[in-house]
Amino acid sequence: PSWLVCLRTNLSLFFPQILLCFSAVKSFSSPAAPLISSASRRSQATAAPRHSTMSNNIAMEEEDGFGAKKLFNQGFSYTYDDVIFLPHYIDFPTDAVSLSTKLSRNIPLSIPCVSSPMDTVTESHMAAAMAALGGIGIVHYNTTPSAQAAFIRSVKSRRVPIQSSPIIFSPDSRIVNEFDDPAVPCVLVTESGKPNSKLVGYVARSDWSGEKQGAKLSDYMRPADESLVVPSNYDLDKLDSHLKQQERERDFAVLAEEGGVVDVVTKEDVEKVKGYPKLGKGTVSSDGSWMVGAAIGTRDSDKERLELLVKAGVDVVVLDSSQGNSIYQIEMIKYVKRTYPQLDVIGGNVVTMSQAQNLIAAGVDGLRVGMGSGSICTTQEVCAVGRGQATAVYKVASVASQSGVPVIADGGIQYSGQIVKALVLGASTVMMGGFLAGSTEAPGQYVNKDGTRVKKYRGMGSLEAMSKGSDQRYLGDKSKLKIAQGVVGAMPDKGSVLEFIPYTMQAVKQGFQDLGASSLPSAHELLRSQTLRLEVRTGAAINEGGVHSLHSFVKKSF
């Protein structure tokens, strides 16, 4: 009726939930609206007794929730917390759920987790840990090209997710206060005092005493013997065995490769990793090395950066831009695919179908979705552009799936349920910044702030980050006036990603089980077929869905 359409139009300006209610009422008053499948209609019509025409219509028109296509075409921008999936049918155990997926056309992953290319999230330690878990890390480019390439080489050269940043001196050097840090097990001595030089000796913590402070290292260092050094491609079991054999002499080993020192690993490091959930094979390339990605920009200078990254062994590149639908990115996509045809390139960021179509036509192997949804991002406030992340992921994935292009849901992840929503709505992976920031593997040092142990976490659009070069990401590197699109903050110590990511993935599996989806492809098919149903949540429903009505509580995820 016309009065219903008019009322619906006016109320929808203010209340998304009211719009959905009136959609259902209108469908109820119009037998032509297909609210449930024709098969369901036939089965209900056969099974239900014909008491009256009215009761028959009610039985046939009632339904649970909405299909994704109907829900996300109402003109509202929904984020993850705005929507909720309704449970489906379970006929398999949780352990039968597979989270195997693809980052891009040619990069398979065991888990759908990607660390964000932010300078307070992903450098070599985080990238190595993500690869060990079966995900992948994307190293940031807010540094020099040579330093970024060094991060890539560091990941490719090791087989254990342990990093210590060893102290290395030349024989003529003198120790001053290096052993003041209790985490330093030794000082290594190479011919030139640099990692890419021959190891000639070491000074263990147990050998150090204050009276040696003024003496040259060559006067009292221990010579490097064969038992000190192990190949950098030793895995955790081999390292554990070696350290047990050498424990009487020392509690550390030096990882080395041809040309220099890679790292120092202690017995304590190995025992700590062994105490985490068991690691699988990880994400490895054809040569057995861990896979790692890197971010680059879209300027001509990034072509030189890319050359160094390719020589270092990078497996995939991400064109890092807050708004990826630009001539600059399209030209860079074509350049990468033309110059390095075997290298996968991921474009973005995008939030609309038209943006996605442009980058797909240019030749991307993956799409990064999200604009202004990160916890430290202010793009939506400053620029008045963006989209709710749930809507963005669904819309972009609906287009990308037609071309076989995987989608990365980038931003807005705070807990496991939001990962479930992102993946079921069409994403193949989730890219996380704040979720991983503050962990052991994140760059930076811990400090105490108001009694809490924290690490810095900053948006790449913050003025602090842009002063290091990230303003290119916002196409502002040539502007005299810098406008911040992010903030600088801090994240509490979360422990190691090697511990909390496996528990998070187990929670995601349980979410998939509740939805009756045993894999990502099956979840996407259930969504496309409208078998999975969604509803919009009111503020009261969101509140009810969390912890409430308690005087106090302690919330532990595992």
Side-chain angles (χ1 to χ4, degrees):
S2 60
W3 65 268
L4 188 60
V5 174
C6 180
L7 185 58
R8 168 181 166 172
T9 301
N10 286 308
L11 290 175
S12 68
L13 295 174
F14 305 101
F15 304 104
Q17 292 80 12
I18 291 177
L19 170 62
L20 295 175
C21 291
F22 273 91
S23 295
V25 172
K26 183 180 178 184
S27 298
F28 172 74
S29 63
S30 172
L35 292 181
I36 53 178
S37 67
S38 58
S40 298
R41 288 181 185 275
R42 288 195 298 271
S43 63
Q44 288 186 15
T46 302
R50 295 181 174 234
H51 297 301
S52 67
T53 303
M54 178 62 75
S55 61
N56 250 351
N57 286 339
I58 292 175
M60 292 171 64
E61 298 294 349
E62 285 291 339
E63 67 172 349
D64 285 318
F66 296 84
K69 185 174 182 180
K70 184 171 185 177
L71 183 72
F72 289 108
N73 278 288
Q74 301 288 345
F76 294 99
S77 191
Y78 294 121
T79 193
Y80 297 133
D81 282 349
D82 290 327
V83 297
I84 191 76
F85 280 103
L86 304 184
H88 189 42
Y89 177 70
I90 299 174
D91 59 356
F92 53 85
T94 307
D95 289 343
V97 176
S98 170
L99 296 179
S100 297
T101 186
K102 282 190 171 184
L103 171 76
S104 56
R105 291 186 193 272
N106 302 298
I107 304 291
L109 302 177
S110 300
I111 62 171
C113 297
V114 185
S115 64
S116 181
M118 304 172 70
D119 59 8
T120 51
V121 177
T122 308
E123 290 181 352
S124 54
H125 195 185
M126 178 66 77
M130 294 301 293
L133 289 164
I136 195 168
I138 311 297
V139 175
H140 73 88
Y141 72 113
N142 211 20
T143 185
T144 64
S146 59
Q148 189 183 20
F151 289 142
I152 300 299
R153 283 193 295 271
S154 176
V155 177
K156 303 295 284 187
S157 64
R158 64 185 72 227
R159 299 296 181 274
V160 289
I162 298 170
Q163 184 165 319
S164 66
S165 301
I167 297 173
I168 301 175
F169 285 153
S170 68
D172 292 334
S173 299
R174 293 168 171 79
I175 293 176
V176 180
N177 56 2
E178 282 70 26
F179 283 117
D180 288 352
D181 183 351
V184 175
C186 63
V187 170
L188 302 182
V189 184
T190 66
E191 289 180 343
S192 68
K194 296 180 179 179
N196 57 345
S197 179
K198 182 181 178 181
L199 180 69
V200 294
Y202 70 96
V203 177
R205 173 175 288 277
S206 58
D207 298 332
W208 172 248
S209 61
E211 61 268 16
K212 297 176 181 178
Q213 189 166 351
K216 294 180 180 180
L217 290 174
S218 57
D219 293 340
Y220 61 92
M221 69 180 186
R222 294 195 188 193
D225 55 40
E226 291 184 359
S227 64
L228 172 68
V229 181
V230 298
S232 62
N233 61 1
Y234 261 32
D235 60 19
L236 197 65
D237 291 337
K238 288 182 178 179
L239 269 174
D240 187 34
S241 176
H242 177 83
L243 286 168
K244 285 178 178 177
Q245 293 173 9
Q246 303 297 323
E247 61 184 350
R248 289 186 177 180
E249 192 167 340
R250 64 181 76 86
D251 62 353
F252 62 89
V254 177
L255 299 179
E257 61 182 358
E258 186 177 350
V261 173
V262 173
D263 212 336
V264 172
V265 176
T266 68
K267 183 179 180 181
E268 183 182 358
D269 293 331
V270 172
E271 290 299 319
K272 188 179 294 185
V273 174
K274 285 171 60 181
Y276 298 143
K278 186 173 176 59
L279 295 170
K281 181 180 179 182
T283 306
V284 296
S285 57
S286 58
D287 64 357
S289 64
W290 279 337
M291 283 192 168
V292 58
I296 63 173
T298 57
R299 303 304 190 198
D300 284 341
S301 59
D302 288 291
K303 296 175 181 178
E304 298 174 8
R305 179 185 291 270
L306 178 60
E307 183 180 0
L308 289 177
L309 294 172
V310 170
K311 289 179 179 178
V314 73
D315 296 287
V316 58
V317 292
V318 175
L319 301 187
D320 194 28
S321 175
S322 64
Q323 212 285 53
N325 187 29
S326 69
I327 185 62
Y328 314 110
Q329 183 156 145
I330 289 172
E331 289 179 348
M332 181 61 84
I333 292 168
K334 293 178 179 179
Y335 171 80
V336 176
K337 299 307 295 182
R338 182 174 64 251
T339 310
Y340 307 101
Q342 302 304 315
L343 182 66
D344 273 15
V345 56
I346 294 170
N349 281 30
V350 297
V351 293
T352 70
M353 293 185 291
S354 61
Q355 284 180 302
Q357 287 168 335
N358 281 348
L359 300 191
I360 291 171
V364 291
D365 299 296
L367 283 169
R368 190 174 166 198
V369 178
M371 191 172 189
S373 56
S375 61
I376 39 66
C377 186
T378 60
T379 296
Q380 293 186 16
E381 291 180 15
V382 174
C383 300
V385 291
R387 201 171 202 176
Q389 191 67 342
T391 300
V393 169
Y394 174 76
K395 289 289 191 178
V396 173
S398 65
V399 170
S401 62
Q402 298 173 21
S403 301
V405 176
V407 162
I408 304 168
D410 176 21
I413 299 297
Q414 302 171 58
Y415 48 85
S416 59
Q418 293 173 330
I419 297 176
V420 174
K421 291 176 184 179
L423 296 175
V424 176
L425 286 173
S428 294
T429 54
V430 290
M431 179 174 280
M432 298 173 289
F435 194 83
L436 305 176
S439 65
T440 303
E441 293 78 9
Q445 300 297 318
Y446 287 109
V447 298
N448 285 312
K449 188 173 183 179
D450 301 325
T452 302
R453 196 165 182 251
V454 300
K455 270 187 183 181
K456 180 187 287 187
Y457 176 49
R458 69 186 183 191
M460 298 305 284
S462 65
L463 293 176
E464 184 176 291
M466 286 197 288
S467 68
K468 300 292 185 180
S470 69
D471 50 354
Q472 182 187 145
R473 184 176 192 272
Y474 302 86
L475 302 180
D477 54 320
K478 296 181 180 179
S479 300
K480 293 181 179 180
L481 301 178
K482 305 296 182 183
I483 305 300
Q485 293 187 42
V487 300
V488 179
M491 281 289 186
D493 181 2
K494 297 175 182 175
S496 174
V497 298
L498 299 173
E499 181 175 27
F500 69 77
I501 287 295
Y503 284 100
T504 301
M505 290 301 98
Q506 184 65 22
V508 171
K509 287 184 176 183
Q510 291 177 358
F512 269 59
Q513 183 190 40
D514 285 341
L515 293 172
S518 59
S519 65
L520 269 72
S522 67
H524 295 167
E525 179 55 36
L526 288 169
L527 188 76
R528 281 192 295 268
S529 67
Q530 300 190 62
T531 302
L532 289 184
R533 314 294 285 179
L534 301 94
E535 289 179 344
V536 175
R537 298 201 288 177
T538 64
I542 294 173
N543 182 63
E544 184 181 67
V547 180
H548 60 91
S549 305
L550 299 178
H551 173 268
S552 61
F553 66 92
V554 176
K555 189 174 182 180
K556 291 185 177 181
S557 299
F558 55 86

